[in-house]
Amino acid sequence: MAKLTVRDLDVRGKRVFMRVDYNVPLEEKDGQMVITDATRIVETLPTLKLLIERGGKLILTAHLGRPKGKREATMSLKPVAGKLSELLGKRVGFVDDCIGENVDTAVAGMKNGDVLLLENVRYYNEEEKNDPAFAEKLAKVADVYVNDAFGAAHRAHASTEGVARVVAKRGGKCAAGLLMERELKFLGDELDNPARPFVVILGGAKVSDKIKVIDRLLDKADTILIGGAMAYTFRLAQGYKTGKSLVEPDAIDTAKSALAKAKAKNVKFLLPCDDVIATPVKTDKLDKKGKPVIEFQNPTTNGDMNCPDNAAGLDIGPATVMAYAAELLTAKTILWNGPMGLFENKQFASGTNAIAQAVADATQKRGAKSIIGGGDSVKALNKAKLGDKVTFMSTGGGASPASRR
Ligand code: 3PG
Ligand code: MG
């Protein structure tokens, strides 16, 4: 981690190579990819404005999705350039590559205060491998390196780590952006010493993605509330039937040891006591990736811990919402990471929306500190127009300190 911040840099006339996390959620609308939550872009504006004011030439690099070294059209950063230009109120150039001649030409034409966004670095496999030769190619247009990609800070990739090394070796300055600084300060302080009760809400699809977070939080939290598809891996671990719900059989042992640790540590560990289930049916329609669109038929509330064979669990049920809201009512610190169900689909958004409301109420009416991590939880809060009713929205998911240590 760089010790300098952008405040300490003299960037006038210099090429500032800046890594940002613009891995934003996108949805296909009428054949176009549309950004559904721009939080990660908005949060970088203070750093960008400072560097523009100081006369730097800003070259922004980022990843989108996991294209695994291929030019995946749905994962282009082009729509992000448009959105950024709108938010900054100035032109943002875009190059359809992150290295090579086109980049060199565009950069050569830049004036002080200009902004240029480069295409998805993950169109190259070398990015995730942190390939030194690739880092050299990226660094070709860098006099100074700035890292403001908090959400990707847990990855040692060419654009997050390799380039910094190349620039530093040449005697160039490397610094953290203002977003990076703010995230580390806020999350570090609040989560190291939380006011109690400290209630954690964890959702999302996978236990395996969150296991480090769960393990660490079991040392810190008083209560953990589980939702989302990961709840079904826990149910599987408890011997229940999960039907067609999304489960990770490989993570059963992990789930079992989390349950055992919660017991040993006296952490209240709540799993859903009811849910909303529906029958998944493949339609003839194909999505942009050529996969059949799945329709969920006959959504019903299910109070049985077993899921019928032909159904999938897609949201927490009303009794679970009540139980979780009661826990949130007494919380002094709340950490929320991951949605409670398939909230992008209106039929399965009630659980996530109710939790969003309960977190907002705990913050506004009872003075709890609420920290929201993870792109999807932030998106859900913004969708419910509750984004300004919580204490802090982090742009990181896997990058939050709780999961990194
Ligand atoms: C994220 O959204 O979690 C970050 O942008 C990192 O992306 P990754 O998990 O694909 O590395
Ligand atoms: Mg991630």
Side-chain angles (χ1 to χ4, degrees):
M1 170 62 48
K3 287 186 197 78
L4 287 180
T5 83
V6 277
R7 273 188 268 272
D8 309 311
L9 294 181
D10 170 19
V11 295
R12 182 156 301 276
K14 292 193 183 138
R15 298 168 305 170
V16 181
F17 190 88
M18 177 165 157
R19 177 60 155 98
V20 285
D21 185 358
Y22 287 167
N23 190 20
V24 290
L26 294 156
E27 249 168 48
E28 192 196 326
K29 273 192 195 128
D30 305 322
Q32 301 251 38
M33 299 306 287
V34 180
I35 296 164
T36 53
D37 189 285
T39 305
R40 281 181 164 171
I41 307 174
V42 172
E43 293 298 317
T44 62
L45 295 178
T47 312
L48 297 181
K49 284 180 180 159
L50 182 92
L51 291 167
I52 292 167
E53 249 166 53
R54 292 191 178 177
K57 298 173 182 174
L58 304 196
I59 303 149
L60 307 179
T61 177
H63 76 278
L64 185 67
R66 294 175 179 169
K68 301 257 176 271
K70 281 205 212 85
R71 282 197 163 258
E72 179 68 60
T74 55
M75 297 179 194
S76 169
L77 280 162
K78 185 116 194 261
V80 173
K83 189 73 191 175
L84 178 61
S85 164
E86 190 187 307
L87 290 165
L88 268 178
K90 73 179 270 145
R91 186 180 172 274
V92 172
F94 180 75
V95 187
D96 66 355
D97 212 336
C98 62
I99 52 170
E101 238 173 73
N102 290 352
V103 176
D104 297 348
T105 312
V107 171
M110 287 176 85
K111 296 192 193 65
N112 295 359
D114 279 357
V115 182
L116 181 72
L117 177 65
L118 307 181
E119 183 57 288
N120 196 343
V121 272
R122 288 194 187 168
Y123 280 180
Y124 291 88
N125 263 328
E126 293 93 326
E127 160 67 2
E128 290 188 62
K129 289 193 189 129
N130 198 1
D131 179 89
F134 183 68
E136 291 275 355
K137 285 181 195 164
L138 288 169
K140 200 174 161 209
V141 292
D143 297 318
V144 174
Y145 177 77
V146 173
N147 193 343
D148 215 12
F150 173 73
H154 56 317
R155 311 268 180 234
H157 294 168
S159 65
T160 57
E161 202 268 342
V163 184
R165 244 184 310 140
V166 178
V167 172
K169 209 163 69 194
R170 282 190 210 138
K173 294 247 160 56
C174 298
L178 302 177
L179 172 61
M180 184 75 95
E181 187 187 43
R182 204 160 59 87
E183 293 265 15
L184 293 179
K185 207 163 115 199
F186 198 100
L187 292 178
D189 290 354
E190 297 299 337
L191 294 188
D192 275 345
N193 247 325
R196 297 188 179 279
F198 176 24
V199 179
V200 176
I201 314 155
L202 285 178
K206 291 184 174 170
V207 174
S208 57
D209 262 9
K210 303 263 160 90
I211 189 56
K212 276 201 219 127
V213 194
I214 298 175
D215 195 58
R216 181 169 147 72
L217 289 171
L218 280 166
D219 294 327
K220 292 237 154 202
D222 299 295
T223 303
I224 298 184
L225 311 172
I226 301 285
M230 73 156 87
Y232 296 96
T233 299
F234 280 104
R235 277 195 183 177
L236 208 56
Q238 291 174 324
Y240 293 110
K241 289 193 179 142
T242 53
K244 289 201 157 72
S245 310
L246 202 60
V247 287
E248 287 176 290
D250 290 354
I252 288 182
D253 286 343
T254 307
K256 279 187 183 157
S257 49
L259 290 166
K261 184 166 172 182
K263 207 165 178 192
K265 291 243 164 192
N266 218 3
V267 175
K268 208 164 168 186
F269 197 90
L270 298 189
L271 293 164
C273 59
D274 67 343
D275 56 359
V276 180
I277 59 170
T279 313
V281 177
K282 271 188 197 164
T283 61
D284 296 338
K285 278 185 267 168
L286 296 181
D287 65 14
K288 208 156 183 188
K289 287 178 196 153
K291 289 200 191 127
V293 175
I294 309 274
E295 223 172 65
F296 294 101
Q297 293 177 352
N298 197 20
T300 33
T301 301
N302 176 35
D304 190 334
M305 295 297 276
N306 289 299
C307 184
D309 289 345
N310 65 343
L314 295 151
D315 193 9
I316 56 173
T320 305
V321 166
M322 271 175 66
Y324 287 9
E327 294 296 330
L328 292 168
L329 213 59
T330 61
K332 289 274 188 307
T333 309
I334 299 169
L335 174 68
W336 181 17
N337 182 302
M340 297 291 100
L342 192 66
F343 76 104
E344 296 90 340
N345 183 329
K346 272 207 299 284
Q347 293 174 301
F348 312 113
S350 306
T352 301
N353 286 340
I355 293 302
Q357 189 63 56
V359 172
D361 286 348
T363 316
Q364 297 298 317
K365 297 184 187 155
R366 315 189 83 90
K369 277 206 172 119
S370 52
I371 298 161
I372 319 300
D376 277 335
S377 340
V378 167
K379 184 173 150 189
L381 265 173
N382 283 339
K383 224 169 156 183
K385 305 230 169 348
L386 295 170
D388 58 347
K389 300 281 187 284
V390 295
T391 315
F392 186 78
M393 285 209 287
S394 170
T395 55
S400 333
S403 54
R404 271 188 294 115
R405 280 173 222 168

